[in-house]
Amino acid sequence: MPVSAPRRPTERPGSTGARPPARDSGPAGRRPGRATRIGRTRPAFLRLGPGEREVLWLYLLTRVGIWATAGAVGWLFPQNGETRRPASLLSPWQQWDWWHYLHIAQDGYFPAQAGPWTAGWDNREAFLPGFPLALRAVHTVVPDWAAAGALISFVAGGVAVLALARIARHQLADLETGRRAVAFLLLSPCAVFLAAGYTEALFLALALPAWLAAQRQNWPAAAVLACLACSVRITGLFLAAALALHFVLTVRGLRAWRSAPWLFLPALAPVLYSWFLQTRTGDWMAWKHAQERGWYRDFHAPWDAWANTWEAAFGHTQATGYAFMWQAELLAMVVGVVLLVVLLRARRLPEALYIALTLWALGTSYWYTSVPRSTLLWWPLWIGLASWSLRRPRIQAAYFYVVGPLSTVVAITFLTGRWAG
């Protein structure tokens, strides 16, 4: 058997010993241009990975569609049927909770010493300060308040869909799953709220990157993002609980456990807000009590909440439009329970905890309120649907053909000011 000569210390396997040729630096041997160097130094989270340009393109197309719908609503459904001038493009977006966020951003929580002790109080302390603070900050650059709110949701929605696609790719190692998850989210029944001056888009833009950071074991980044999410929606606390469970189940080694104190950071935002309300009202639970006064969110057993919602939906005690809204609440709750069971069977315990806490909070009021809107925040639902549709192609077609038109109906209902959920 022939024996190869020993390699010299400077040689690598497969080397001939000759000096390697200079690396090609482009045409005519030029060095990489400035754009290439900038691209290489761009932070990793700003680089678009495979398929992410298609995700952003899908997001932009759906934004065009939903804003076209808003423009059509201004022309076809004016508040004054005799008007000769259509409403502004931003007018249909100024509905319902938007006014609470706007008034907080403009005047603060207790203008002119008004508060829960004032007759006709709007219970604005029920809304956390994250979105109003962002709205006030953007308003310093964008003079129109409604445009500022729309811009926040537009940018935040883009961040959210990219993060959702990356979570799906990290979890299932499949580019198509990420694209489908984003499509299911953007065509979901309540997707209109991602474009409105509401909290859903901003919350997702913080919560989904927090979850992605946790999957990558970057606990400081996950904690900071979750803390910011807690300032936007109380659902951030449920995210923080899921992060803590994910930490316990995945961290290995004493050195990794040194990151555990970061998990307490998300509680800082609600604690500071409760302290602020206590200094103004003397009530540490002022946020919860405002929810009870304005939205019947005092505690009831889950079966009582279901019964009250069922009566409103099918007991012929409400106008048909409102009854339909409560029927949607019941359906969304059923979807949430099914999702919880699926996650438990798949042993995805952190996501299951997040969904369980959300369902408990929504399902223990006098009756269900805003459950369909909350489905936007259930990222395991959209990833699960995407994964299922890859195995059963008809699922995607059925979803788009059935849910797509329903999404348009919900959008028109909201934009015309007839939404009650």
Side-chain angles (χ1 to χ4, degrees), residues 358-373:
T358 302
L359 294 177
W360 178 261
L362 295 170
T364 53
S365 300
Y366 176 78
W367 50 28
Y368 301 158
T369 305
S370 300
V371 184
R373 278 174 53 190

Side-chain angles (χ1 to χ4, degrees), residues 91-358:
S91 179
W93 297 102
Q94 301 176 60
Q95 307 285 355
W96 303 100
D97 290 355
W98 160 254
W99 297 112
H100 291 285
Y101 301 126
L102 176 63
H103 294 156
I104 295 169
Q106 289 178 328
D107 309 319
Y109 279 97
F110 305 103
Q113 304 303 315
W117 50 85
T118 306
W121 179 241
D122 60 4
N123 299 305
R124 65 180 65 183
E125 67 271 25
F127 297 87
L128 298 182
F131 185 83
L133 286 173
L135 182 61
R136 189 174 184 86
V138 175
H139 176 66
T140 60
V141 180
V142 181
D144 187 277
W145 287 99
L151 180 60
I152 292 171
S153 292
F154 176 76
V155 175
V159 174
V161 297
L162 279 178
L164 178 60
R166 290 177 180 181
I167 291 172
R169 188 175 71 225
H170 187 277
Q171 179 175 321
L172 300 172
D174 190 298
L175 293 177
E176 182 60 24
T177 304
R179 287 193 289 265
R180 291 196 180 200
V182 169
F184 283 132
L185 170 65
L186 294 178
L187 295 177
S188 62
C190 289
V192 63
F193 292 100
L194 294 176
Y198 275 44
T199 58
E200 280 77 7
L202 182 58
F203 177 82
L204 286 175
L206 298 167
L208 293 182
W211 190 254
L212 184 62
Q215 288 187 319
R216 295 172 175 173
Q217 304 293 301
N218 187 348
W219 298 108
V224 170
L225 289 167
C227 182
L228 294 173
C230 285
S231 74
V232 176
R233 292 180 67 97
I234 200 64
T235 318
L237 288 176
F238 310 151
L239 170 69
L243 289 174
L245 181 57
H246 184 59
F247 179 88
V248 171
L249 294 177
T250 59
V251 166
R252 298 290 183 271
L254 181 61
R255 182 176 181 180
W257 274 91
R258 294 175 183 174
S259 298
W262 282 102
L263 300 175
F264 294 96
L265 182 63
L268 180 63
V271 168
L272 288 178
Y273 183 55
S274 296
W275 172 79
F276 165 76
L277 293 180
Q278 193 276 334
T279 62
R280 300 302 192 276
T281 67
D283 182 7
W284 283 96
M285 297 296 292
W287 172 86
K288 181 68 169 62
H289 295 152
Q291 288 272 329
E292 294 173 355
R293 289 192 305 269
W295 292 269
Y296 302 98
R297 289 193 181 273
D298 50 326
F299 179 81
H300 286 73
W303 46 88
D304 291 334
W306 175 274
N308 293 334
T309 310
W310 184 276
E311 178 67 18
F314 299 107
H316 307 292
T317 60
Q318 306 288 332
T320 56
Y322 284 90
F324 177 78
M325 297 297 178
W326 269 295
Q327 292 167 20
E329 299 281 351
L330 291 169
L331 178 59
M333 181 61 70
V334 170
V335 170
V337 172
V338 171
L339 173 63
L340 176 59
V341 172
V342 170
L343 290 172
L344 288 173
R345 292 188 62 182
R347 299 184 182 276
R348 302 200 65 84
L349 299 183
E351 294 97 323
L353 178 61
Y354 173 78
I355 298 299
L357 292 174
T358 302

